[in-house]
Amino acid sequence: MFMCKGNWDAKLPSAEPIRVVVTGAAGQIAYSLLYMVAKGDVFGPNQPLILHLLDIPPMMGVLEGVVMELDDCALPLLVSVVPTADPAVAFKDVDAAFLVGAMPRKQGMERKDLLSANVKIFKVQGEALDKFAKKDVKVLVVGNPANTNALVCSHYAPSIPKENFTAMTRLDQNRAQAQIAGRLGVGITKVKNVIIWGNHSATQVPDARNASVEVGGAVKTVPEAVADDEFLKQQFLETVQKRGAAVIAARKMSSAMSAAKAASDHMRDWFAGTRDGEYVSMGVISDGSYGAPKDIVFSFPVQIQNRQWKIVQGLSVDEFTRSKLDVTAKELLEEKEEAMAVCAAD
């Protein structure tokens, strides 16, 4: 008998497939992501789906090969695949959107170097979502600079609630969780509620002060278990902040497999909900919580029920973390100003 795993409720197979779009579908991240989505890791083991694959015209030959591979996987949940270079087709009636396609970050590039080119892409995709997608579509922006791209996308899709646009900081959360688990020599599932605040950039604030860990059968706070404040303030913080650059230096390409896994995790939790007592990090529209500026996309700890996220309130933020939050907030305000100027001039 098949048993449903994770935090999905056991359900009979849905008769109605959902439509899911992945942009940059011929790229490296999508190559890992599409299999995870199509085999049921994201929307559940009983949910049929139709995949819409969007990429630019020069990539249509490569995309044809991706479609062949999806066919050859013989995945029971995959009803059909729609490859296209037309946003009107790609975003038509979609329930969920993974916006992966963007100019990739290369070695030596700063995130701001990407901003001018990429915000134009997300302006166009926001307009297409506004015209063609379902109004309750759930949008995850993966392409960098993700927070500001999500803000731009939302701005140009005024008929869709701002809460439906999110940016991915789950990769940073996964990295941070792995660093703590490795430091303490425990399994990854023993570490819970590590937070990423702010921007998905080198100014992000990985925060383990509210996190817990199970060590030798006992649950402790991470600061208690680590017992090394300087590690949490320096090595841990900097390793997570610079991990993307370290991967590029080693691979000569940006994170792909881990980014796909994080995108899968993010959207799964959005649709399935978070477990009791646990929260995850997502870039969401700021309401001013924890002193963050309003109306930017800022990563907060959130809990999710019925596909609605809610910022976790009342967590402790010490003076050190507060100073770091101010830096990442300043960067996001600067990015917002630059992005809107680029869009207005376009």
Side-chain angles (χ1 to χ4, degrees), residues 59-118:
M59 297 304 291
M60 286 300 103
V62 176
L63 194 57
E64 183 181 348
V66 173
V67 174
M68 288 181 196
E69 287 212 70
L70 284 168
D71 286 345
D72 295 348
C73 286
L75 295 160
L77 296 173
L78 186 57
V79 175
S80 64
V81 182
V82 182
T84 183
D86 183 356
V89 174
F91 293 106
K92 179 68 174 171
D93 294 332
V94 294
D95 299 273
F98 293 88
L99 304 188
V100 180
M103 179 184 291
R105 180 181 169 197
K106 296 175 183 171
Q107 193 166 1
M109 286 180 74
E110 289 298 322
R111 296 172 58 78
K112 287 184 180 180
D113 299 335
L114 300 177
L115 192 142
S116 180
N118 282 341

Side-chain angles (χ1 to χ4, degrees), residues 122-182:
F122 287 87
K123 175 182 178 181
V124 169
Q125 293 184 354
E127 291 168 342
L129 282 160
D130 196 57
K131 288 179 185 174
F132 303 113
K134 291 183 178 177
K135 296 309 174 190
D136 63 351
V137 63
K138 302 293 187 278
V139 181
L140 167 58
V141 175
V142 177
N144 287 318
N147 295 56
T148 298
N149 287 341
L151 186 71
V152 167
C153 203
S154 170
H155 182 77
Y156 288 97
S159 68
I160 298 169
K162 291 185 185 300
E163 292 76 20
N164 289 24
F165 290 84
T166 63
M168 190 173 83
T169 54
R170 185 58 171 269
L171 176 53
D172 307 302
Q173 179 193 312
N174 287 351
R175 287 166 170 166
Q177 189 177 355
Q179 290 298 315
I180 296 296

Side-chain angles (χ1 to χ4, degrees), residues 28-30 32-33 36 247 251 253-261:
Q28 278 207 88
I29 294 174
S32 292
L33 176 62
M36 296 178 196
V247 170
R251 283 189 83 225
M253 291 181 286
S254 59
S255 306
M257 178 170 53
S258 57
K261 167 62 165 53

Side-chain angles (χ1 to χ4, degrees), residues 151 162-163 197 282-302 309-313:
L151 186 71
K162 291 185 185 300
E163 292 76 20
W197 302 98
M282 292 170 60
V284 299
I285 193 73
S286 173
D287 63 357
S289 292
Y290 296 98
K294 291 184 179 181
D295 300 322
I296 57 173
V297 171
F298 193 94
S299 183
F300 293 100
V302 301
W309 55 262
K310 186 177 180 182
I311 296 170
V312 177
Q313 299 294 339

Side-chain angles (χ1 to χ4, degrees), residues 15 22 37 65 88 105 111 120 135 150 154 159 163 169-171 219 224 226 231 265 269 297 324 329-330 332 335 340:
V22 177
V37 173
R105 180 181 169 197
R111 296 172 58 78
K120 294 175 185 176
K135 296 309 174 190
S154 170
S159 68
E163 292 76 20
T169 54
R170 185 58 171 269
L171 176 53
V219 176
E224 265 185 297
V226 170
F231 166 78
D265 291 344
D269 286 345
V297 171
K324 298 292 185 183
K330 181 175 182 287
L332 281 166
E335 283 189 13
M340 293 308 174

Side-chain angles (χ1 to χ4, degrees), residues 180-246:
I180 296 296
R183 172 79 175 194
L184 296 172
V186 300
I188 198 77
T189 59
K190 303 297 185 185
V191 182
K192 301 186 187 306
N193 296 342
V194 178
I195 300 167
I196 304 296
W197 302 98
N199 200 3
H200 172 59
S201 77
T203 69
Q204 64 175 267
V205 188
D207 177 12
R209 294 180 182 281
N210 291 283
S212 65
V213 59
E214 184 183 325
V215 183
V219 176
K220 302 179 178 181
T221 69
V222 166
E224 265 185 297
V226 170
D228 186 343
D229 201 46
E230 284 308 302
F231 166 78
L232 293 175
K233 285 183 175 179
Q234 293 187 4
Q235 186 182 333
F236 166 70
L237 188 82
E238 291 175 8
T239 297
V240 178
Q241 286 177 332
K242 297 176 181 177
R243 189 68 163 188

